[in-house]
Amino acid sequence: MELHVLFALFSLLFSVSSANLVSLLHSNGLAFFNCFANHSPASPSISTVVYAPYIPSYDSIFQNTIQNLRFNSSMIQRPQYIIVPKRSAHVQAAIICSKNHSLQVRIRSGGHDYEGLSYKSKTPFVLIDLVKLRKVKVSLRKATAWVQAGATLGELYYQIAKETSTLGFPAGGCPTIGVGGHISGGGQGSLMRKYGLAADNVVDAILVKADGQIVNRATMGEDLFWAIRGGGGASFGVILEWKVKLVPVPTRVTAFNVVKTLDEGATKLIYKWQNIANKLPEELYIKIILTVGKKDDGLRTIRANFNSLFLGTVDQLMPIMDESFPELGLEYENCREMSWIESVLYMNDGKSDEPIEVLLDGNRNITKGFFKAKSDYVTEPINENDLQAIWNVMEVGEAGIMIWTPYGGRMSEISPSETPFPHRKGILYSIQYYSKWQEKGIVAEAQHLGWINKLYYFMTPFVSKFPRAAYLNYRDLDIGINTIGTFAEAKVWGEKYFKNNFKRLAVVKGKVDPENYFKNEQSIVARS
């Protein structure tokens, strides 16, 4: 046994209590640690990389980035080991040793996975938590950035803004989301109408395959590189880093929030928005956040927040709005000019005057709770009578929110087969249904799930069909899961996320992971 392996094992033995030492010695734990030490570099000590349930910091590490408390109960099976890699060799060792000990792996970057697939499993597993792999390196000369998978979007945005005020990156609006999963699922955001998705702006990647091999774009091949840009990276390996293309942004952008209730004509405004939002200049992004509020008389009403980012000044924006959407009644005083990095803060929580260092706070504006989400795509405007019927359903029960995100622009120009993300030309907007609650127990869960399921069912006639499409990053196990692991079974949910691209994803899966090692309830299954 090599000296560094002996040292690593002695460090481990001294790091656990005497009671837990007995547990370690009477389990296969020592064998796993020995395997990991043999496949890892001498430094740092594996006692700071591998955590078992009998190690005191295990619980805090496991729970640190879990956002959905539905999957943080004592009834959920926890990992046999948590690996917190500090270098790529630790990820290689985690995969090799997990396979050697018949353990599955789960891969967590930010912990925002709506269904918890990045940190839970029904079979014994190892959690690879990428939280320590979060470096960002920006190249102004090449207008690119290498970003490790454990970094958050906020950290990526911050590092770009430190270097320049004229480059940005098109990705999501929540700064605490991990880039590893976000980009691999597509990554829509406020710059998407101008530049497409985050995945559309990836130029290279580094990934660890099921055999432990580390590959980049040149060595993984174009099929695998295609698959991980929107097809969900966790089906194919562990993504360590993305190389992304940065995009030009003006020194001044304009944002606004205009809120209208039903009594203020929200229904007519939303109908008009459906007809124009995907046709507006690609520099203009106007999404609608729909919530249930109360009027002065105590009765419920729908509040529509028209939340917008324009890549230009307010003087450039106003003529466009006056011509295309005068009904909204946008005034100069509704608008705020700011830098692009300030708009990241404003679009997230309505504030732009905070120091940009708050983007480095992984817990900023996070209130952990219980939540559920679903998604849809709309290809034809919903008429005013049907909109009113939707509001009637939305207002009843433990109401959540809907977010309507406009497509068009660059999104319509990219071929649906360019990446696995197929929702391109012909899409007016996407819908996210979202319900969050703080009360524990099955009664509260049933009430909130009842609201979102009833609304989702009611929306059936108004959204895409054959298949009823969905967005991978708004993961929803209700649309189908793998139980026996066949292609035919996976096709039920797979074509909703990927349409015809699912077949190609299945072919790639068969080539790069023929033993189907990387699997979960909605992982790609090889086509037999």
Side-chain angles (χ1 to χ4, degrees):
M1 184 178 292
E2 295 185 23
L3 184 61
H4 86 272
V5 176
L6 281 171
F7 179 77
L9 293 176
F10 277 121
S11 298
L12 168 68
L13 295 176
F14 281 114
S15 70
V16 300
S17 68
S18 57
N20 288 330
L21 181 57
V22 173
S23 298
L24 173 63
L25 294 174
H26 283 81
S27 68
N28 68 347
L30 200 56
F32 185 89
F33 278 96
N34 183 38
C35 175
F36 195 91
N38 272 305
H39 289 88
S40 295
S43 178
S45 169
I46 64 169
S47 63
T48 65
V49 177
V50 185
Y51 299 86
Y54 40 76
I55 294 176
S57 53
Y58 171 93
D59 280 344
S60 62
I61 293 170
F62 178 67
Q63 297 180 34
N64 182 42
T65 59
I66 294 178
Q67 309 303 326
N68 195 343
L69 299 182
R70 292 179 64 207
F71 309 120
N72 192 23
S73 74
S74 59
M75 304 297 291
I76 301 295
Q77 180 170 212
R78 294 194 172 191
Q80 303 286 304
Y81 307 97
I82 301 174
I83 312 295
V84 185
K86 297 180 179 178
R87 53 183 66 181
S88 57
H90 293 148
V91 178
Q92 291 177 290
I95 293 173
I96 292 169
C97 296
S98 296
K99 289 180 73 174
N100 287 349
H101 288 80
S102 301
L103 297 169
Q104 288 293 303
V105 294
R106 293 292 181 269
I107 307 144
R108 182 167 73 181
S109 55
H112 283 256
D113 189 321
Y114 278 1
E115 294 282 9
L117 298 187
S118 62
Y119 52 84
K120 69 181 180 71
S121 172
K122 293 181 179 179
T123 58
F125 72 106
V126 170
L127 170 61
I128 302 176
D129 191 337
L130 302 175
V131 66
K132 296 295 185 182
L133 298 179
R134 57 194 319 132
K135 293 179 182 177
V136 180
K137 185 177 181 180
V138 175
S139 171
L140 291 183
R141 183 175 64 86
K142 297 180 180 179
T144 60
W146 276 105
V147 52
Q148 290 186 312
T152 64
L153 290 179
E155 289 170 327
L156 173 59
Y157 296 154
Y158 173 81
Q159 294 298 336
I160 296 171
K162 271 185 60 179
E163 301 291 336
T164 176
S165 61
T166 58
L167 291 174
F169 184 67
C174 178
T176 60
I177 292 174
V179 302
H182 180 71
I183 296 177
S184 74
Q188 65 180 26
S190 58
L191 297 182
M192 61 189 280
R193 302 194 66 252
K194 178 68 173 177
Y195 296 114
L197 306 171
D200 296 327
N201 292 275
V202 171
V203 294
D204 204 344
I206 298 175
L207 173 140
V208 183
K209 295 169 61 178
D211 59 4
Q213 181 185 6
I214 296 179
V215 294
N216 60 15
R217 179 175 183 175
T219 54
M220 76 174 70
E222 287 301 303
D223 282 344
L224 180 53
F225 184 64
W226 172 86
I228 62 175
R229 292 177 296 136
S235 289
F236 303 97
V238 181
I239 293 167
L240 299 178
E241 296 186 56
W242 297 107
K243 185 179 182 182
V244 298
K245 177 177 62 178
L246 307 184
V247 300
V249 292
T251 55
R252 304 300 288 173
V253 302
T254 303
F256 67 78
N257 283 308
V258 174
V259 179
K260 299 290 185 179
T261 65
L262 297 185
D263 289 343
E264 294 170 321
T267 300
K268 289 186 177 297
L269 291 172
I270 293 169
Y271 179 72
K272 176 65 180 287
W273 174 90
Q274 292 181 98
N275 287 276
I276 64 166
N278 71 317
K279 303 182 184 71
L280 292 169
E282 59 187 13
E283 293 80 11
L284 180 54
Y285 167 92
I286 307 174
K287 72 178 177 183
I288 302 177
I289 304 170
L290 295 162
T291 59
V292 177
K294 286 189 177 181
K295 299 188 290 186
D296 292 339
D297 59 8
L299 297 177
R300 288 188 167 192
T301 188
I302 300 298
R303 299 175 77 253
N305 179 6
F306 294 83
N307 177 236
S308 177
L309 176 67
F310 174 67
L311 300 178
T313 66
V314 64
D315 286 336
Q316 294 170 316
L317 169 64
M318 290 305 293
I320 296 173
M321 292 297 293
D322 288 343
E323 179 180 349
S324 302
F325 202 6
E327 297 88 345
L328 187 61
L330 185 69
E331 303 288 349
Y332 272 85
E333 54 263 32
N334 300 132
C335 304
R336 295 182 63 175
E337 281 192 17
M338 60 194 76
S339 65
W340 169 75
I341 195 65
E342 289 171 332
S343 79
V344 171
L345 297 171
Y346 184 83
M347 296 294 283
N348 179 240
D349 60 11
K351 302 175 184 177
S352 62
D353 53 357
E354 295 179 294
I356 65 171
E357 283 72 21
V358 300
L359 292 170
L360 301 178
D361 181 1
N363 294 311
R364 179 177 178 267
N365 289 340
I366 287 182
T367 302
K368 293 187 177 184
F370 307 85
F371 57 82
K372 171 67 180 178
K374 303 179 82 66
S375 62
D376 262 321
Y377 285 92
V378 177
T379 59
E380 297 288 341
I382 304 170
N383 67 48
E384 291 183 33
N385 288 335
D386 289 332
L387 288 174
Q388 185 57 59
I390 293 168
W391 311 151
N392 293 340
V393 174
M394 189 176 176
E395 289 174 350
V396 176
E398 294 290 347
I401 67 174
M402 282 198 288
I403 301 175
W404 293 12
T405 298
Y407 274 49
R410 178 64 180 145
M411 291 295 292
S412 294
E413 297 169 356
I414 299 172
S415 166
S417 61
E418 180 72 18
T419 71
F421 184 96
H423 316 294
R424 305 291 187 171
K425 187 176 182 180
I427 299 294
L428 301 183
Y429 56 95
S430 68
I431 298 177
Q432 179 183 186
Y433 311 85
Y434 186 80
S435 180
K436 184 175 183 179
W437 62 99
Q438 297 299 324
E439 307 89 350
K440 296 181 180 180
I442 58 174
V443 174
E445 179 172 89
Q447 291 173 337
H448 287 270
L449 294 183
W451 176 86
I452 198 170
N453 289 332
K454 183 177 181 181
L455 180 58
Y456 181 78
Y457 176 78
F458 188 81
M459 292 292 292
T460 303
F462 313 121
V463 298
S464 61
K465 300 172 180 63
F466 311 115
R468 182 174 184 173
Y471 176 33
L472 181 63
N473 278 353
Y474 299 153
R475 180 83 71 175
D476 180 11
L477 296 186
D478 296 343
I479 67 174
I481 61 172
N482 300 335
T483 56
I484 58 176
T486 65
F487 173 80
E489 180 185 53
K491 184 179 177 182
V492 172
W493 58 264
E495 290 190 342
K496 295 173 183 176
Y497 290 134
F498 308 115
K499 297 187 178 179
N500 291 333
N501 293 332
F502 183 67
K503 295 177 183 177
R504 183 178 174 188
L505 285 168
V507 171
V508 177
K509 174 72 170 180
K511 291 179 179 178
V512 303
D513 184 18
E515 297 178 356
N516 194 28
Y517 180 65
F518 293 110
K519 60 185 176 184
N520 58 48
E521 290 92 330
Q522 281 189 350
S523 58
I524 305 298
V525 175
R527 189 174 186 180
S528 56

